[in-house]
Amino acid sequence: MYLSNLQQDDIFISSEMTSLKCLTGIASRRGLENAIISNGKIVNVVSNSYGHIPNQLFFKKAERMLVDAELTYHKRTINKNDRSFVMDFIIEDKSQFTVKNHKDLILPMLRFKNSYDGSEKTSGHFGFYRKVCSNGLHVSQAEIEFSIKHSKNNTSLIMPRLNNLFDKFLDNEFYTITKKFEKMKAFKIIDTQEFVKAILDRTKLFRYECSDKNSDPSKKSREVIETLNYEALLLNEEPNLWLGYNAFNAVLHNVLKKSFGQQERLDKKLFDEIYAMA
């Protein structure tokens, strides 16, 4: 269901690096000579040595890696305010993994990020996609290494061959981490509200209580609890740490206003804290 309805934002918007002096008629100080214009808006001011990497160059080269590796994939694109961008490749092949439930399918995922405002490093990494939930899981440590070559008037990208990188990821991290997923799934949660409160006390992701005077769960806390209980019902299971992690992950990605990089760091922090309970 989710794979046929993935987010498809337009990430191939117009962008250019233009001299501020040409735009304003006023000289600028050294180090702030150029403006990055994205979809008609100035989103960054940079130096002459800055190499602007348009999405057309970066993401199309990233996709060529998967095509050359002959991988079958589904694509998701996310555009945040014409400033930062993601292209996810969710890979459908023999590497499908279920967490002791045929409905709970996990697929390898490749995420590539770029930004025009400097908020995200141009980068790529492996992760996981969970079919029962539309979010990516970013607990993998495997980064995609590529080189960016800058010259005064040109920026070029040299991408690696993906075949060996993908096979290495499957042989190492994919199965190592999915075994942790299984261990989390085996640990039942008796009281979902106490579980959510305990994780929020450890991570400070957001406040559990409504306020100092009202100890009831806040709106975000209730959303985690409701998502956890709903997925348990959907999968015909008791609430467990695996579902708890995914409930927090859903709120992190869909409700909290965080950058892509912040989401990934908080995702890993949540995973580590919840896994420590297993």
Side-chain angles (χ1 to χ4, degrees):
M1 178 178 67
Y2 287 109
L3 289 173
S4 62
N5 194 31
L6 294 169
Q7 188 170 345
Q8 301 292 335
D9 292 348
D10 182 10
I11 61 173
F12 296 120
I13 55 176
S14 62
S15 70
E16 61 178 324
M17 185 167 73
T18 304
S19 163
L20 274 175
K21 187 174 182 180
C22 290
L23 286 173
T24 65
I26 303 170
S28 57
R29 73 170 177 82
R30 186 177 179 182
L32 298 174
E33 294 93 351
N34 302 297
I36 303 296
I37 301 175
S38 175
N39 206 16
K41 302 180 288 288
I42 295 176
V43 297
N44 203 1
V45 179
V46 298
S47 70
N48 281 329
S49 62
Y50 181 84
H52 175 53
I53 303 175
N55 288 343
Q56 286 85 344
L57 170 66
F58 179 58
F59 290 123
K60 287 182 178 179
K61 279 207 170 188
E63 187 163 12
R64 173 50 56 184
M65 292 170 62
L66 280 91
V67 172
D68 290 344
E70 299 182 342
L71 293 171
T72 302
Y73 58 88
H74 300 264
K75 191 162 53 177
R76 172 172 61 180
T77 54
I78 305 172
N79 175 341
K80 286 192 176 180
N81 303 314
D82 295 335
R83 298 183 176 194
S84 57
F85 314 89
V86 152
M87 183 177 280
D88 290 331
F89 299 101
I90 299 149
I91 300 166
E92 287 242 56
D93 66 355
K94 62 180 190 265
S95 307
Q96 296 180 13
F97 177 89
T98 60
V99 187
K100 295 184 178 179
N101 187 319
H102 70 280
K103 295 180 181 179
D104 203 353
L105 184 65
I106 297 166
L107 298 170
M109 183 182 76
L110 276 164
R111 166 164 286 198
F112 290 89
K113 293 183 298 181
N114 194 27
S115 69
Y116 292 160
D117 63 355
S119 63
E120 303 285 351
K121 180 183 176 183
T122 301
S123 61
H125 71 266
F126 287 98
F128 306 87
Y129 179 85
R130 183 170 174 251
K131 269 194 172 180
V132 80
C133 172
S134 61
N135 301 314
L137 311 177
H138 302 281
V139 291
S140 170
Q141 302 293 325
E143 303 287 332
I144 305 294
E145 295 293 338
F146 46 83
S147 61
I148 304 171
K149 293 195 172 182
H150 302 284
S151 61
K152 187 165 185 179
N153 298 309
N154 186 47
T155 298
S156 62
L157 277 166
I158 300 175
M159 293 287 203
R161 291 186 62 82
L162 187 59
N163 306 64
N164 293 337
L165 293 173
F166 183 63
D167 290 342
K168 184 179 178 183
F169 168 69
L170 292 181
D171 289 342
N172 295 293
E173 284 205 64
F174 186 81
Y175 291 107
T176 299
I177 295 178
T178 49
K179 291 302 179 186
K180 291 185 178 181
F181 295 166
E182 284 189 338
K183 185 176 179 181
M184 293 164 77
K185 196 175 192 72
F187 195 98
K188 307 304 178 187
I189 296 173
I190 305 302
D191 188 324
T192 53
Q193 288 195 22
E194 283 302 314
F195 162 75
V196 171
K197 187 175 187 303
I199 293 302
L200 290 175
D201 285 343
R202 296 185 189 193
T203 63
K204 311 300 182 188
L205 187 63
F206 50 83
R207 183 170 180 160
Y208 175 79
E209 301 85 358
C210 286
S211 67
D212 289 339
K213 295 182 179 179
N214 186 350
S215 61
D216 290 342
S218 64
K219 183 179 179 180
K220 295 186 185 73
S221 299
R222 291 197 306 274
E223 188 153 347
V224 176
I225 295 164
E226 289 165 7
T227 301
L228 172 52
N229 291 332
Y230 170 75
E231 285 200 0
L233 185 64
L234 182 70
L235 296 169
N236 194 27
E237 296 178 352
E238 294 180 59
N240 56 62
L241 293 184
W242 166 247
L243 298 182
Y245 161 61
N246 281 284
F248 269 108
N249 186 278
V251 171
L252 168 61
H253 286 267
N254 298 326
V255 179
L256 302 185
K257 303 298 183 184
K258 303 292 183 182
S259 70
F260 295 123
Q262 288 173 324
Q263 287 175 342
E264 289 156 20
R265 288 190 293 274
L266 289 168
D267 185 342
K268 290 178 181 178
K269 185 175 183 179
L270 280 168
F271 181 81
D272 288 343
E273 291 292 351
I274 295 172
Y275 182 70
M277 291 181 166

